[in-house]
Amino acid sequence: MNKKTVEKVLIVDDTTAVLQALSLLLEIHGYDVVTTNSPEQAISIVNQLRVSLVIQDMNFTRDTTSGEEGKALFESLRALNPNLPIILITAWTDLEQAIELVKAGAADYIAKPWDDQKLLTSVGNLIEVGKSRQQTEQLERHKAAQKPSQTAAEQVGLIYSSTAMQRVVDMAIQVAKSDISVLITGANGAGKEKIAELVQAQSSLANKPFIKVNCGALPPDLIEAELFGAEAGAYTGATKARIGRFEAADGGTLFLDEIGNLSYSGQTKLLRVLQTGQFERLGSTKTMQVDVRVISATNANLLEQIANGEFREDLYYRLNVIELQLPALAKRPEDIMPLVQYFLPARELSLSAEQALLTQSWPGNVRELENACKRVAVLKPQGIIETEDFAFREDVIQNSASVDAQNQMTQEPDKSALENAMREHQGVIARVARQFGMSRQALYRRLNKFGIDY
């Protein structure tokens, strides 16, 4: 069981009685209190400890009433942590100065003598606001750090929002910088080819040949000719010599999709190319030399194929120097709505339609989702897209209706409801989205639609 975090409050005042009274009040209500009568020590404490809120006096020297000392401390604390809530303790003589500091970013002020209940309410609210601001700032930093990789992914048409896909993308960009073999695994339609394109685009071979071969789409007896080429007469119908994909990819990258479908004979020749860069065309004794980086992909369990004697173990370890495991779309539902936006640009969906999309299992993954969106674009080119426009199975529609009932959402929130929720949850997007039972992406679109700042 997780222990609740105890919030730390720093009190800075030159009057011992004030320090004792505030400490007792806050400690009784569960806060961890640190006190000091020195502005310099206050700065040191904030620099060293994780302080959630500061309550500070405006004057620290006897007979001083200008408030300049409090202003200097406030500015120093703000420089250390711009999101740190600060409550100013004021007397009537420095009330005007305190109000000016509140306008400049201080969270609140309390006049002496203070009302205990009002102070406790202010402390609790401001700590929550401070945490929300800190979370927002961390999220923004995280987004900024991810931006280069997301931009790189978008350039090859790879659209995502999930943490799971971000890990795959980051790793793909990292391994792209080397020349080692990469094996991409995942279900059909999950986006393995897009990951291969990302690796190629981010590599030093980006401007070199990038040749793709779908081993699953070729008859077994033609795969070897496709990969290694053939001399005239090497097989029935071969009326002239043809170069293979390895020759075409020389100096660049070869992407072998559905590598698990490669014949055992083809596997043996592929292993040799990976080891030495050498091969012969079918029907030829002339050895050819190429320099090719191989990226392969499969939806099959190659370890099972190895156990069944269907796939060479030594080839597997040659191909699988680095494995990029691509999760199924159902395992990353955060990607569904960004993909729908990409496939249906400038189209609006009802909330029930969005919930139905998120409820669908998508056995065909991104490819199935894309096809569903293309069908809707043709059959309903205008207007708000409803659940029935996607022609989901009846069980999916019923499941979506159940989600609707659980979220008590009979209609989409209007501008007033959104504004009230944003105020109630102090702008925390995750909480507002949870209240309305929608994804964050859906909430962002509605906020933009109504011109509501976030």
Side-chain angles (χ1 to χ4, degrees), residues 52-182:
S52 299
L53 180 138
V54 173
I55 301 175
Q56 68 155 83
D57 196 6
M58 293 294 295
N59 299 290
F60 301 97
T61 305
R62 182 181 293 274
D63 299 327
T64 299
T65 60
S66 68
E68 289 300 320
E69 293 173 319
K71 180 180 178 182
L73 175 58
F74 165 77
E75 291 174 347
S76 296
L77 295 177
R78 267 286 180 266
L80 279 176
N81 183 355
N83 294 320
L84 179 64
I86 300 173
I87 297 177
L88 307 170
I89 304 176
T90 68
W92 290 111
T93 52
D94 48 43
L95 180 59
E96 184 177 343
Q97 176 77 283
I99 292 174
E100 288 301 314
L101 290 183
V102 168
K103 291 179 181 179
D108 202 355
Y109 67 89
I110 58 172
K112 299 177 182 177
W114 59 83
D115 180 290
D116 286 355
Q117 191 53 52
K118 287 183 179 180
L119 175 61
L120 289 170
T121 300
S122 181
V123 168
N125 290 340
L126 292 175
I127 286 177
E128 284 302 310
V129 171
K131 288 195 290 187
S132 295
R133 287 176 177 170
Q134 188 174 30
Q135 290 170 356
T136 300
E137 188 176 90
Q138 289 173 346
L139 180 60
E140 291 302 320
R141 286 199 300 267
H142 185 60
K143 285 182 177 179
Q146 290 180 343
K147 189 64 178 176
S149 58
Q150 287 184 328
T151 300
E154 288 172 2
Q155 288 172 349
V156 299
L158 185 60
I159 308 301
Y160 67 94
S161 179
S162 65
T163 302
M165 276 301 294
Q166 185 65 55
R167 285 194 293 265
V168 175
V169 168
D170 288 341
M171 192 172 181
I173 292 175
Q174 185 175 357
V175 302
K177 298 175 174 61
S178 67
D179 59 356
I180 58 178
S181 299
V182 178

Side-chain angles (χ1 to χ4, degrees), residues 364-410:
N365 293 289
V366 178
R367 188 176 296 126
E368 180 187 356
L369 177 61
E370 181 179 11
N371 290 342
C373 291
K374 286 180 177 178
R375 186 167 56 248
V376 169
V378 172
L379 298 180
K380 190 171 184 179
Q382 294 180 335
I384 296 176
I385 299 172
E386 301 289 350
T387 304
E388 54 268 24
D389 295 324
F390 285 99
F392 290 130
R393 300 187 315 272
E394 188 63 27
D395 60 323
V396 174
I397 296 174
Q398 291 173 353
N399 197 3
S400 177
S402 174
V403 173
D404 275 345
Q406 291 172 6
N407 288 317
Q408 299 179 335
M409 286 297 300
T410 57

Side-chain angles (χ1 to χ4, degrees), residues 24 70 169 223 236 266 367 372 398 431 447:
L24 181 61
V169 168
I223 288 181
T236 303
R367 188 176 296 126
Q398 291 173 353
R431 295 177 186 171
L447 293 174

Side-chain angles (χ1 to χ4, degrees), residues 108 111 146 148 199 214 223 241 257 273 287 298 369 404 422 449:
D108 202 355
Q146 290 180 343
V199 173
N214 186 342
I223 288 181
D257 201 3
V273 177
T287 299
T298 183
L369 177 61
D404 275 345
M422 288 290 285
K449 174 183 175 182

Side-chain angles (χ1 to χ4, degrees), residues 331-388:
K331 299 291 186 182
R332 43 186 173 102
E334 306 97 314
D335 294 339
I336 292 175
M337 293 315 302
L339 285 164
V340 171
Q341 277 189 288
Y342 180 74
F343 297 138
L344 292 170
R347 295 299 301 275
E348 185 176 355
L349 279 69
S350 70
L351 185 56
S352 60
E354 290 188 8
Q355 289 171 336
L357 288 166
L358 294 171
T359 306
Q360 171 72 292
S361 60
W362 301 113
N365 293 289
V366 178
R367 188 176 296 126
E368 180 187 356
L369 177 61
E370 181 179 11
N371 290 342
C373 291
K374 286 180 177 178
R375 186 167 56 248
V376 169
V378 172
L379 298 180
K380 190 171 184 179
Q382 294 180 335
I384 296 176
I385 299 172
E386 301 289 350
T387 304
E388 54 268 24

